[in-house]
Amino acid sequence: MEQRQKSELTKQLILNESFKLFYENGFKTTSVDKIMKATKLTKGAFYHHYKNKKELGLAVISLKLQKRIYEGMMAPLYEPGDALVILKTTFIDRLKSFSVHEKKHGCPMNNLINEISDYEIAYQIALKRIIEEWQSALIYLIDRGKSENVINKSISSKAVAVYLISAFEGIRGIRKLYDNDFILEEYISGLSLYLNQIKS
């Protein structure tokens, strides 16, 4: 195997294991030593790829979280079709797709927002960027729905986008308190009612 390819695989291993550890145990309690134990790599391998844990944290946010949220929550918003149906299916299908493990641990982005966004300005900026890109994708779809007379033209697209993101992230956090999906089912019912209210 080429050295460059081997180096890239090592970097990906560190990134993947770090994401998993941050998600399951929290960012602050996950030390470089714990990451190295999980990867079975030396500290030298870690510091060859990342200057410190802060740099690794930013890489996890930009390379793992951003990709995850783009694929699950943003890309579907740019698909053709009825804007309201797309809104409904994107949020509901995503909720239904989560494993028991993901329901138990909540949203990895939301967890990081709650744990470290007030701890370091660089994390705040990186996490805010994801939220704002998601918000822009929603505004794009809502505006399209208005132009196609599917969504009420009098509503604020930005207000709806902020509400949808906040409610979704909130239910991901609240679900961690329960050992069943009843609370998710109530959220889905509420979401359906809300979307019916913004119909044209």
Side-chain angles (χ1 to χ4, degrees):
M1 188 186 295
E2 250 185 61
Q3 185 57 40
R4 184 188 285 180
Q5 189 181 4
K6 188 177 178 184
S7 179
E8 187 54 37
L9 287 173
T10 300
K11 192 172 186 179
Q12 283 303 312
L13 176 63
I14 295 169
L15 197 67
N16 292 337
E17 287 299 320
S18 299
F19 172 77
K20 187 179 171 186
L21 289 168
F22 294 162
Y23 184 34
E24 292 177 358
N25 306 318
F27 179 83
K28 290 179 183 177
T29 59
T30 302
S31 63
V32 171
D33 284 338
K34 286 179 182 175
I35 294 165
M36 293 304 91
K37 189 175 179 183
T39 58
K40 298 179 174 61
L41 295 169
T42 64
K43 272 194 176 179
F46 176 87
Y47 290 111
H48 175 72
H49 295 288
Y50 299 99
K51 282 189 288 188
N52 49 41
K53 187 178 155 187
K54 176 183 170 182
E55 186 177 81
L56 172 64
L58 290 170
V60 166
I61 292 167
S62 63
L63 299 173
K64 297 292 291 182
L65 284 184
Q66 195 158 15
K67 181 175 186 284
R68 178 187 166 98
I69 291 166
Y70 178 80
E71 289 174 355
M73 298 305 298
M74 292 188 231
L77 304 177
Y78 293 105
E79 294 291 324
D82 182 302
L84 266 178
V85 172
I86 291 169
L87 277 177
K88 189 173 182 179
T89 55
T90 298
F91 282 86
I92 293 174
D93 289 354
R94 187 67 175 151
L95 273 181
K96 288 182 175 178
S97 75
F98 292 126
S99 65
V100 172
H101 181 265
E102 288 171 309
K103 288 171 185 174
K104 181 182 174 184
H105 291 285
C107 173
M109 179 179 68
N110 198 17
N111 292 350
L112 282 174
I113 289 170
N114 288 319
E115 188 184 8
I116 64 171
S117 65
D118 61 342
Y119 169 70
E120 171 67 58
I121 191 71
Y123 298 138
Q124 189 179 81
I125 291 166
L127 289 162
K128 196 189 294 182
R129 188 179 300 123
I130 298 173
I131 294 291
E132 288 174 354
E133 284 178 11
W134 188 3
Q135 184 178 287
S136 294
L138 282 164
I139 290 169
Y140 162 82
L141 179 63
I142 295 160
D143 284 345
R144 180 168 74 74
K146 288 179 180 180
S147 70
E148 293 170 359
N149 294 313
V150 175
I151 294 175
N152 188 330
K153 287 183 170 66
S154 68
I155 64 157
S156 162
S157 299
K158 186 172 182 179
V160 172
V162 169
Y163 174 75
L164 289 172
I165 291 169
S166 302
F168 182 83
E169 289 301 315
I171 200 62
R172 293 292 319 276
I174 292 168
R175 172 59 180 82
K176 293 195 289 185
L177 300 172
Y178 296 88
D179 59 3
N180 59 56
D181 287 341
F182 294 151
I183 197 83
L184 289 185
E185 288 160 13
E186 292 297 331
Y187 165 82
I188 289 168
S189 296
L191 176 64
S192 298
L193 287 170
Y194 176 75
L195 293 176
N196 282 335
Q197 288 175 355
I198 66 169
K199 270 184 185 176
S200 179

